[in-house]
Amino acid sequence: MESMRQPLRLVGLLFSAVLLAGCQLLTESPTDPRELRGTGDLGLIIERASGSVLVVDTTEKTVLERVEGLGNLSHASVVYSRDGRYGYVFGRDGGLTKVDLLTGSIDRRIVQAGNSIGGAISQDGEYLAVSNYEPGGVKVFDSGSLEQVASIPAHYEGEDGETHRSKTVGLVDAPGNRFVFSLFDAGEIWILDMSHDEPRVVRREAGDKPYDALITGQGRWYIAGLYGEDGLSLLDLWNPDEGVRHILSDYGRNDERRPVYKMPHLEGWAIAGDRAFVPAVGAHKVLEISMEDWAPEGRIPVQGQPVFVMASPDHRQIWVSFAHPDNDVVQVIDSRTSEVIRTLEPGEAVLHMEFSPRGEEVWISARDSNRVTVYDTGTLEKITTLEAKKPSGIFFTSRAHRLGL
């Protein structure tokens, strides 16, 4: 009997040693932030001139890594995998790069076209769609492997009776594993449905030269700005068979005619309660619009031509950036009073703003000052600055759980 107890005692001692070692591993904090951490407070900052991105920690407000070799990032944007680990960077040169935020490295990279203008990720996270100028159309890729799964050439019949390919713009993701985009040359809006065995496309007339577009946060309304005529095109994605509706014919192109130094980004529209705050094209105004009937409600004077007009997550503030030559300031509007309450100076050539997931901070890139400034949205005071090489777009992983970004 004693001879049987000896092996059992040894097994017990070995088990205790393994258990203690495991407990020690669990209680020790990792020295390398990449060893064990979540991704919910991470993000990417585009360094447009150097073809690189910064991996940032929004809690500590620090730069974790610089990832290089991403090509032409002059008009780059980013979407995220569902778990927030991978950022997909869409470059202007047709590059599609999958960046691993936890290792600070490129996981995969392809060049899928000659000239691209943004992308989107499907509702289920399975597909990536890229909007291309050259060749005109949209390509769809598997988000894991970056293998191409579909190509949708933007064919249309021109006035000469010949078939042409249009530049595609305003690409967004929509509920139901759909993508929506506009054809600049054809004046159309297409809905690409990826929920079936084969992709399906629905075409709708849009207006003259749609140049950019947005989708509202709940995924119902797709709005395309029109470069060739006053107003915008509105498509109800709940009822797409009703066709496109023309709204806001006095959107601002004929109001106070000035040279347009930079077309506003429609994706930067601010939705606050039942109102939309919209940059007026070429005018020093932010327009207030009722979302019940899409009628103008008011005009807020600002110090320049607005480019981005963005609402804080609680909808209490509207932050506005501007086109050259007034692009070294940002103005903050109180959404309750529709008045400018502060003018800030983040640096020269402000290009982008991004709110922290719950809105207590906003990060602002200043390209020509080579820095990103972080502000407290409660006090409107500067918290800190981060050095960056010609920074432009700022994209946090909280975007992984929001439609249309």
Side-chain angles (χ1 to χ4, degrees):
M1 181 66 71
E2 183 64 29
S3 62
M4 293 178 62
R5 291 196 184 100
Q6 291 297 332
L8 289 174
R9 191 175 293 117
L10 288 172
V11 170
L13 289 171
L14 287 171
F15 178 78
S16 298
V18 170
L19 185 63
L20 287 171
C23 290
Q24 185 176 7
L25 287 172
L26 288 172
T27 55
E28 287 182 352
S29 299
T31 56
D32 187 334
R34 296 179 303 185
E35 288 182 8
L36 182 64
R37 68 168 303 152
T39 60
D41 63 348
L42 300 184
L44 292 174
I45 296 175
I46 302 296
E47 294 184 312
R48 58 183 292 157
S50 56
S52 55
V53 295
L54 299 177
V55 182
V56 295
D57 179 327
T58 64
T59 299
E60 300 298 329
K61 290 172 276 295
T62 57
V63 175
L64 301 178
E65 304 280 355
R66 171 175 281 116
V67 185
E68 300 178 319
L70 280 79
N72 184 345
L73 301 183
S74 62
H75 199 282
S77 60
V78 181
V79 299
Y80 288 97
S81 58
R82 287 169 64 91
D83 60 3
R85 176 170 181 174
Y86 298 103
Y88 300 95
V89 183
F90 305 99
R92 191 58 186 262
D93 57 0
L96 170 56
T97 309
K98 182 179 180 182
V99 176
D100 187 333
L101 275 69
L102 291 184
T103 63
S105 63
I106 293 176
D107 182 87
R108 287 176 175 80
R109 174 173 165 79
I110 61 172
V111 177
Q112 54 81 45
N115 190 340
S116 297
I117 193 72
I121 190 166
S122 61
Q123 188 176 32
D124 64 2
E126 184 175 351
Y127 301 114
L128 295 164
V130 188
S131 180
N132 293 319
Y133 278 4
E134 298 175 6
V138 167
K139 292 183 180 179
V140 183
F141 301 87
D142 179 276
S143 62
S145 65
L146 298 192
E147 293 291 328
Q148 183 174 307
V149 298
S151 179
I152 313 297
H155 286 148
Y156 73 100
E157 183 177 332
E159 294 180 356
D160 57 5
E162 300 293 328
T163 298
H164 302 273
R165 291 182 74 156
S166 173
K167 301 179 182 70
T168 54
V169 297
L171 173 66
V172 300
D173 60 284
N177 261 18
R178 295 178 296 170
F179 296 105
V180 189
F181 54 95
S182 297
L183 278 62
F184 177 82
D185 304 290
E188 295 180 349
I189 295 171
W190 288 15
I191 303 171
L192 170 60
D193 190 341
M194 295 295 297
S195 65
H196 305 279
D197 293 338
E198 295 293 331
R200 300 180 182 178
V201 175
V202 174
R203 303 169 62 156
R204 294 288 179 264
E205 296 292 329
D208 191 8
K209 296 183 177 60
Y211 70 89
D212 195 11
L214 67 93
I215 188 171
T216 54
Q218 83 279 31
R220 177 173 183 179
W221 303 101
Y222 179 83
I223 305 168
L226 301 175
Y227 187 77
E229 60 180 289
D230 293 344
L232 302 97
S233 293
L234 175 73
L235 179 61
D236 184 352
L237 296 176
W238 290 6
N239 304 288
D241 291 341
E242 294 181 358
V244 171
R245 174 181 161 196
H246 197 77
I247 62 171
L248 301 177
S249 58
D250 60 349
Y251 175 55
R253 288 180 59 87
N254 285 330
D255 183 30
E256 299 182 34
R257 285 283 190 182
R258 289 188 174 97
V260 178
Y261 296 108
K262 185 175 179 63
M263 291 299 290
H265 283 255
L266 269 74
E267 192 173 303
W269 274 30
I271 307 297
D274 60 355
R275 290 173 297 162
F277 292 81
V278 179
V281 177
H284 293 190
K285 292 182 176 64
V286 171
L287 309 180
E288 287 186 75
I289 297 166
S290 168
M291 293 188 64
E292 293 183 3
D293 56 6
W294 299 99
E297 285 194 346
R299 303 181 178 210
I300 304 170
V302 290
Q303 64 93 44
Q305 293 180 9
V307 175
F308 281 103
V309 177
M310 302 177 68
S312 58
D314 62 3
H315 293 186
R316 290 282 299 274
Q317 298 170 347
I318 310 299
W319 290 62
V320 186
S321 66
F322 300 94
H324 176 82
D326 304 304
N327 58 349
D328 58 346
V329 303
V330 168
Q331 291 193 304
V332 185
I333 297 171
D334 186 323
S335 65
R336 297 167 299 176
T337 64
S338 299
E339 295 179 351
V340 174
I341 57 174
R342 187 73 64 90
T343 298
L344 305 171
E345 298 180 359
E348 297 178 14
V350 170
L351 291 187
H352 200 243
M353 302 177 286
E354 180 85 334
F355 290 96
S356 56
R358 294 195 175 190
E360 75 282 0
E361 297 166 357
V362 63
W363 294 40
I364 303 176
S365 63
R367 181 194 62 206
D368 294 349
S369 295
N370 293 300
R371 68 179 182 233
V372 172
T373 304
V374 183
Y375 287 93
D376 183 309
T377 56
T379 64
L380 301 182
E381 297 297 328
K382 181 176 72 174
I383 299 174
T384 189
T385 59
L386 289 77
E387 293 184 3
K389 301 176 183 178
K390 302 297 181 185
S392 54
I394 305 172
F395 305 92
F396 296 155
T397 55
S398 53
R399 289 171 169 253
H401 310 295
R402 296 164 60 189
L403 283 165
L405 294 179

